[in-house]
Amino acid sequence: MKNLLLLLSIVLLFTSCESKKGQKRIFLDSNGRMNHLLIVMDNSRWSGEVGAKLKEIIMTPVLGMPQQENQFGVSQIPEISFGKMFKASRNILIVSLDSVNNFQSKKNIYAKPQQIIKITGTSEEKLVEMLELYQEQMIRSFKEFDIQNIQKSHIKNSYFETSFKTLNNLGLEMVIPKFFKKVDDTGEFLWLRQRLSGGIAKGDGTSNILVYSVPIPKSKKNLVKIISNMRDTIGKKYIPGSQENMYMVTEKLYTPRVFRTKMDEKPCYVTYGKWDLLNDFMAGPFLNYVIEDVKNNRWIVVEGFVYAPSVEKRDYMFELEAVLKTIHLK
């Protein structure tokens, strides 16, 4: 009898183990806003040289904003406080001393979706070196992770591929969430708008998407001027103000910043700048992507711009970036 009970116990133990192995792991839902980091780091280190270097990296101002806004919001806790509640955070950066100098990037450890980066150094001097060495990779990892999560959330409630004449005529696909509504869709020019509300002094603000194409210019010697003039021409033709001779232009007092990059595996210029309404007081930031479609001798232009006076605009612009980056040339 004892042997039988022992045998049954062993069978139950192995059955239980196999059942647990076969179970799909259940994750907590992560929490936290886009562009926000939970930094796990001892208080003394946060207020010292290592913390100063980290703040310099993560609090770099976002390009093109009317007022300074840092690229990340930050919460900091010491390692001893890193318990269950904080482990459910979406974006976590751990900086600590260890026996090795190391950079690790992992996803979905304590919750989902979650991005965790851990940077260790054998001394505070080495930690500063590691932060400098991996700063671009660190920022890119958190930004791309947030972009991907925004894009995934948009797929569930987006327009059909054939919803807009301009995209069809230009041979384009985009994942556009349905909270953007059509303002204009001529077949050559598309303008979509999302109404923003809450905390905006002069009525509701707006978040906007533009799509169009122009011929590739013969010369690209002064890209800032070429892209600014292109935007001004489109603004005059399609984006009027409330009265005659009012239309959107590139603000002349702020020189736009142009960088070469890639979009949809094609050469692209990305421009960060400010727009304003000629002969009026409306203004805000814009983000413009010019994709080179050499085969068809054209630039495909996708742009996002925001009007949201008296409130921070970083996250609105970041959400626009996530939408714009879904562009695909068929």
Side-chain angles (χ1 to χ4, degrees):
M1 187 69 176
K2 287 183 179 179
N3 290 338
L4 179 60
L5 288 173
L6 178 61
L7 180 61
L8 284 172
S9 299
I10 293 171
V11 170
L12 287 171
L13 175 63
F14 276 97
T15 302
S16 175
C17 289
E18 287 177 5
S19 175
K20 287 181 180 178
K21 286 180 181 177
Q23 286 178 358
K24 189 175 181 180
R25 183 180 173 188
I26 299 173
F27 288 92
L28 294 171
D29 291 330
S30 62
N31 57 65
R33 306 185 305 276
M34 69 180 86
N35 296 315
H36 190 276
L37 302 183
L38 173 68
I39 297 176
V40 182
M41 184 180 188
D42 285 348
N43 294 338
S44 59
R45 201 161 290 126
W46 175 247
S47 59
E49 185 181 354
V50 178
K53 171 53 67 176
L54 185 54
K55 291 167 192 172
E56 176 188 318
I57 294 168
I58 62 178
M59 295 183 182
T60 303
V62 178
L63 291 174
M65 293 295 174
Q67 292 84 33
Q68 181 173 314
E69 295 186 48
N70 297 334
Q71 63 178 335
F72 291 109
V74 170
S75 298
Q76 178 266 331
I77 60 168
E79 290 187 63
I80 196 171
S81 300
F82 188 46
K84 184 176 180 180
M85 181 179 70
F86 290 112
K87 285 181 177 178
S89 299
R90 183 188 301 268
N91 293 314
I92 301 173
L93 174 61
I94 303 171
V95 180
S96 63
L97 292 179
D98 206 332
S99 58
V100 292
N101 302 313
N102 195 28
F103 175 95
Q104 286 183 317
S105 178
K106 295 182 178 181
K107 289 183 171 61
N108 305 334
I109 300 300
Y110 306 110
K112 188 177 181 181
Q114 184 178 63
Q115 171 76 61
I116 299 179
I117 290 177
K118 185 173 184 179
I119 298 176
T120 60
T122 56
S123 66
E124 295 206 351
E125 292 76 14
K126 287 295 181 182
L127 271 179
V128 170
E129 289 179 15
M130 292 294 287
L131 289 171
E132 289 179 337
L133 181 62
Y134 288 100
Q135 58 181 311
E136 290 183 9
Q137 186 175 341
M138 176 178 66
I139 291 169
R140 185 171 61 251
S141 295
F142 284 124
K143 291 291 184 185
E144 289 179 354
F145 182 70
D146 275 346
I147 288 283
Q148 290 166 6
N149 282 301
I150 293 170
Q151 291 172 339
K152 286 177 184 176
S153 70
H154 287 170
I155 289 173
K156 301 171 187 176
N157 185 35
S158 61
Y159 288 101
F160 290 114
E161 288 181 14
T162 57
S163 297
F164 302 106
K165 289 189 298 181
T166 300
L167 296 184
N168 296 331
N169 290 351
L170 295 179
L172 303 175
E173 294 176 347
M174 284 182 75
V175 179
I176 301 171
K178 288 184 178 179
F179 50 74
F180 281 94
K181 307 302 180 183
K182 182 175 69 176
V183 179
D184 201 358
D185 184 15
T186 68
E188 296 180 345
F189 174 81
L190 175 64
W191 180 4
L192 302 170
R193 173 189 289 154
Q194 175 194 7
R195 292 287 181 184
L196 307 175
S197 61
I200 296 174
K202 299 178 180 178
D204 288 351
T206 63
S207 180
N208 302 265
I209 295 171
L210 308 177
V211 184
Y212 56 93
S213 72
V214 297
I216 294 179
K218 294 178 181 179
S219 173
K220 301 173 188 173
K221 286 185 178 179
N222 190 340
L223 279 171
V224 171
K225 185 176 181 180
I226 291 170
I227 292 172
S228 295
N229 289 344
M230 173 192 74
R231 294 190 68 261
D232 294 352
T233 300
I234 291 296
K236 185 174 184 179
K237 185 175 181 179
Y238 291 110
I239 310 175
S242 58
Q243 298 180 31
E244 191 175 353
N245 294 322
M246 289 183 178
Y247 55 90
M248 189 174 76
V249 296
T250 308
E251 185 179 310
K252 300 299 183 287
L253 297 178
Y254 178 91
T255 303
R257 302 285 300 278
V258 180
F259 302 91
R260 191 171 182 85
T261 183
K262 276 197 170 185
M263 180 82 88
D264 192 32
E265 300 300 318
K266 293 177 176 59
C268 175
Y269 300 105
V270 56
T271 303
Y272 301 85
K274 299 177 187 177
W275 63 271
D276 62 10
L277 204 64
L278 189 68
N279 300 317
D280 201 355
F281 298 102
M282 295 176 67
F286 74 83
L287 173 65
N288 179 289
Y289 290 98
V290 169
I291 306 167
E292 288 195 322
D293 182 10
V294 178
K295 180 181 177 181
N296 296 299
N297 190 36
R298 63 179 182 170
W299 275 355
I300 296 294
V301 184
V302 288
E303 177 171 316
F305 70 93
V306 165
Y307 174 65
S310 77
V311 299
E312 293 186 340
K313 303 161 186 61
R314 179 195 66 195
D315 290 349
Y316 293 136
M317 292 299 297
F318 192 74
E319 185 171 52
L320 283 173
E321 180 182 347
V323 177
L324 300 182
K325 284 184 172 179
T326 65
I327 191 78
H328 172 64
L329 281 68
K330 297 178 185 177

